[in-house]
Amino acid sequence: MGYFSEEDAELYRYLYDLNGYLVFENVISPDQVAELNVLIDEKIPPLPDDCEAENKPSYSIYRFGKAGGSYPSGPGFLDWGQSFVDLIDHPLIMEVMRMQLGDAFRLDRIFGMRMQKNMPNGKLHSDYGASEPFANAEPGKHYPQPAYQALHGFGVAVLNLADSGPETGGLRLIPGSHNSHYKLPDQVRSEKITDMVICPKAPAGSLLFFSEATTHGTLKWTADHERRSLLYKYCASQLTWSRTRVTAPPDATLNDRQQRLLEEPAGAKWFFPSLFEDEK
């Protein structure tokens, strides 16, 4: 392991597997946070004044700088400056994704998240596992994951550019839900019961990681300041969310690892080499 000591890596691997998420504070310096926020301010308009609960704002308002996945191919916010590009292979991101995805993985999609005061909860959901929309799991019945369905092959690195947590709102999730063999109960999905849902403290400059099989969503934003998060979504090299891709900005400078992270899907080690070959 590179970023962690062997002892710490053992602990974090256990906690990530147990809970389905990890938070590391003070990863990005205040100067870097300020620089990224200035670059974002130059590219996105202010939020409308009426984005409150009764208006039920759409994802088009929440999200910015989108590329890959549900959005067209392109560089997304990577085209807003080299500072965004250099984060795709941040050493901490590489080490945690290596824990989850192995030595061969790629950047599958990106987007930013923003919220202003009184924006409502975002629904709880899972993109993989028993609770994903197309799993055909029946409520209350044990669901054995079929061999052809992806389970833990997608992971997310969330860089916070503003303070978030239980007092402000932001990302929320159900710890351990990535390993559940049962579909999310309707009482939880409908918000009648939320005791098991947490909103981790993640100050500006922190990195929060979670498996996309972990049930997650957003908690109503109650802070006076705007929520700002950058989401870098990775997957095992042989997987892909959709036909669209994150592509390199035309004027960006990419190192070898960054170039490989933006390559097309391919079988790990066969046609997609390890991202960590140089560390052997």
Side-chain angles (χ1 to χ4, degrees):
M1 307 300 286
Y3 196 88
F4 306 124
S5 68
E6 286 295 331
E7 186 178 36
D8 286 342
E10 180 184 16
L11 172 64
Y12 292 135
R13 187 179 292 111
Y14 171 78
L15 293 174
Y16 196 36
D17 179 70
L18 177 69
N19 294 318
Y21 81 98
L22 288 170
V23 181
F24 297 90
E25 297 186 14
N26 302 313
V27 177
I28 305 298
S29 73
D31 287 345
Q32 289 176 292
V33 170
E35 177 193 4
L36 291 165
N37 274 318
V38 167
L39 292 170
I40 291 171
D41 288 336
E42 293 174 353
K43 296 294 183 179
I44 60 176
L47 283 166
D49 293 332
D50 60 351
C51 291
E52 297 187 357
E54 60 268 21
N55 294 302
K56 298 180 180 179
S58 69
Y59 280 126
S60 63
I61 294 176
Y62 279 112
R63 298 183 178 184
F64 62 85
K66 309 174 287 283
S70 302
Y71 305 103
S73 295
F77 61 63
L78 298 184
D79 202 24
W80 298 356
Q82 187 69 33
S83 298
F84 296 91
V85 175
D86 289 340
L87 287 168
I88 69 175
D89 67 336
H90 187 283
L92 176 58
I93 295 177
M94 292 296 95
E95 210 62 72
V96 174
M97 288 298 102
R98 190 181 192 183
M99 289 180 184
Q100 180 182 347
L101 304 176
D103 283 8
F105 54 88
R106 41 181 292 278
L107 181 63
D108 189 61
R109 48 205 153 114
I110 57 171
F111 56 82
M113 291 283 289
R114 63 196 306 216
M115 297 176 77
Q116 73 174 19
K117 193 171 185 178
N118 294 325
M119 276 190 170
N121 288 351
K123 67 178 181 179
L124 291 167
H125 65 284
S126 303
D127 298 296
Y128 297 93
S131 296
E132 66 99 344
F134 308 108
N136 297 319
E138 296 183 38
K141 292 186 178 181
H142 186 274
Y143 177 72
Q145 190 82 22
Y148 59 82
Q149 289 186 355
L151 181 55
H152 296 306
F154 288 77
V156 185
V158 183
L159 173 63
N160 271 0
L161 301 179
D163 294 344
S164 69
E167 299 84 11
T168 61
L171 179 72
R172 58 178 177 152
L173 47 82
I174 300 178
S177 53
H178 61 307
N179 286 325
S180 176
H181 292 282
Y182 290 87
K183 187 174 183 178
L184 186 70
D186 287 339
Q187 293 182 80
V188 179
R189 188 182 299 276
S190 64
E191 311 275 349
K192 292 178 181 177
I193 298 175
T194 58
D195 293 349
M196 72 294 296
V197 184
I198 69 165
C199 181
K201 178 184 176 183
S206 64
L207 270 168
L208 188 154
F209 299 88
F210 67 93
S211 165
E212 291 218 55
T214 305
T215 300
H216 59 281
T218 52
L219 182 65
K220 177 179 178 179
W221 192 255
T222 59
D224 291 329
H225 65 269
E226 182 177 295
R227 178 193 176 190
R228 282 259 176 104
S229 300
L230 297 174
L231 281 73
Y232 294 78
K233 299 194 168 193
Y234 300 82
C235 63
S237 64
Q238 71 272 18
L239 298 177
T240 182
W241 177 261
S242 76
R243 292 181 174 87
T244 62
R245 302 282 181 266
V246 180
T247 60
D251 299 325
T253 301
L254 301 179
N255 61 36
D256 290 343
R257 180 177 282 173
Q258 290 167 350
Q259 291 177 21
R260 277 182 278 174
L261 285 166
L262 296 177
E263 288 181 0
E264 289 290 307
K269 306 293 180 68
W270 290 101
F271 303 104
F272 197 106
S274 168
L275 294 167
F276 305 91
E277 283 185 332
D278 296 340
E279 297 180 9
K280 292 179 182 179

